[in-house]
Amino acid sequence: MLGVIVLAGTAVTLWLSFVATPADAVQGEAVRLLYVHVPSVTVAYVACGITFVASGMWLWKRTEWWDLVGSSAAEIASVFTAVTLLSGMVWGQATWGTAWEWDPRLTSTLFLFLLLVGYQALRAASPDRSSRARRSAVVGLLLVPNIVIVNRSVQWWRSLHQDATLFRTDLDFRIEGLMLFTWVFATAVGLVLLAWLLMHRFRIGWLANRVEERRLGDALTARRAEATS
Amino acid sequence: MSPWGYVVLGWAITLVVVVGYVVITMQRGRALSRQVPAEEQRWM
């Protein structure tokens, strides 16, 4: 059901983004990248938030469920952070004339991506399930503080990246009408996709643990058989 | 490149990466579910 909603929602988002919405007075046609770039980073932020909460819960409860929720969300976050960086580079080339600058927002987002890659590498390198969960939970707790730095970087330092468009303390929103609706709609579709991916990725982690247990059980049985023969 | 070229490129990169990830995720799930008996596949 969620998959059908995502497919239909993506089709509507494409129509809204490419056909229905007007060009921007300042950015022209390039504004159509907003409807893919900003929802992507929102999905990445929410997935990082889930990993952060799940990491804290694992350190408290030490259950397989929280480890799988955290690691599943972290993998999805790394995919959407990569997409954010790539679509942002294309948008930057179109509007700033450069795909990359060592700007606070871009650099802190790259650091977030490297943190997520490190999270995956740490899990892959850890020999047993308990140490894998413990080490990755510690890294998972670093994600939300890093997101705060990414999000606030345009206010704390001089940045090429634009300031917040919607979530502004002065309530001077920079977007309205169909453009605002398309942005919100694309974000909603992205969040449904996140829920769908999270369920499937969780199931993969669950099955991988069962396969690992079966292999360990088979190996122990074989060793016992060798010892008694 | 024209502004429309950048728009199409940005969307194309995003869709290729996300759809690719979805396909890989589904293939991983199918491959693993063949190795685990049905009674052990319940997680909810």
Side-chain angles (χ1 to χ4, degrees):
Chain A
M1 183 62 189
L2 285 181
V4 175
I5 293 171
V6 170
L7 280 176
T10 303
V12 174
T13 302
L14 283 167
W15 178 77
L16 285 167
S17 304
F18 281 83
V19 181
T21 51
D24 183 62
V26 178
Q27 293 208 21
E29 304 294 351
V31 77
R32 299 177 200 284
L33 285 165
L34 178 144
Y35 312 121
V36 69
H37 177 73
V38 185
S40 297
V41 75
T42 305
V43 171
Y45 282 179
V46 172
C48 284
I50 293 169
T51 302
F52 176 82
V53 172
S55 298
M57 288 304 291
W58 187 87
L59 290 168
W60 181 28
K61 299 282 187 183
R62 310 264 166 162
T63 61
E64 180 187 11
W65 200 89
W66 286 114
D67 176 50
L68 290 177
V69 169
S71 58
S72 302
E75 186 179 285
I76 298 164
S78 58
V79 171
F80 278 88
T81 306
V83 159
T84 301
L85 284 167
L86 291 170
S87 61
M89 287 169 76
V90 174
W91 201 2
Q93 186 65 47
T95 54
W96 304 333
T98 177
W100 187 264
E101 283 289 326
W102 292 102
D103 165 275
R105 171 61 70 84
L106 276 63
T107 307
S108 56
T109 307
L110 178 64
F111 184 78
L112 176 66
F113 176 67
L114 294 176
L115 198 61
L116 287 161
V117 171
Y119 180 102
Q120 310 295 337
L122 203 58
R123 286 187 72 84
S126 300
D128 65 279
R129 201 187 295 173
S130 176
S131 63
R132 188 164 61 208
R134 187 174 60 252
R135 289 171 185 176
S136 58
V138 171
V139 177
L141 290 177
L142 301 175
L143 291 173
V144 165
N146 195 73
I147 284 174
V148 174
I149 295 170
V150 174
N151 189 257
R152 297 288 99 185
S153 60
V154 289
Q155 281 146 8
W156 291 346
W157 300 289
R158 289 166 64 89
S159 177
L160 189 60
H161 197 282
Q162 71 180 66
D163 199 356
T165 303
L166 193 62
F167 299 106
R168 300 173 63 86
T169 51
D170 58 7
L171 301 178
D172 179 22
F173 305 135
R174 305 287 171 87
I175 190 167
E176 59 185 14
L178 191 59
M179 294 168 89
L180 175 60
F181 174 78
T182 305
W183 175 9
V184 173
F185 185 84
T187 303
V189 173
L191 293 175
V192 176
L193 174 61
L194 169 63
W196 185 82
L197 281 170
L198 199 54
M199 283 197 300
H200 281 269
R201 184 58 188 79
F202 181 97
R203 183 169 170 267
I204 287 171
W206 176 270
L207 291 171
N209 282 351
R210 301 292 80 76
V211 169
E212 196 177 278
E213 284 166 4
R214 286 174 71 83
R215 283 185 185 152
L216 188 63
D218 291 347
L220 284 170
T221 308
R223 285 295 293 271
R224 283 196 195 106
E226 276 177 23
T228 52
S229 63
Chain B
M1 191 184 287
S2 71
W4 271 108
Y6 287 115
V7 171
V8 171
L9 179 64
W11 271 92
I13 289 170
T14 302
L15 290 175
V16 166
V17 172
V18 173
V19 171
Y21 179 65
V22 167
V23 170
I24 289 168
T25 301
M26 292 179 79
Q27 285 177 343
R28 283 162 77 190
R30 280 191 190 136
L32 281 165
S33 64
R34 281 190 218 109
Q35 299 175 52
V36 178
E39 64 270 16
E40 288 181 35
Q41 291 187 18
R42 291 178 63 84
W43 54 273
M44 284 183 83

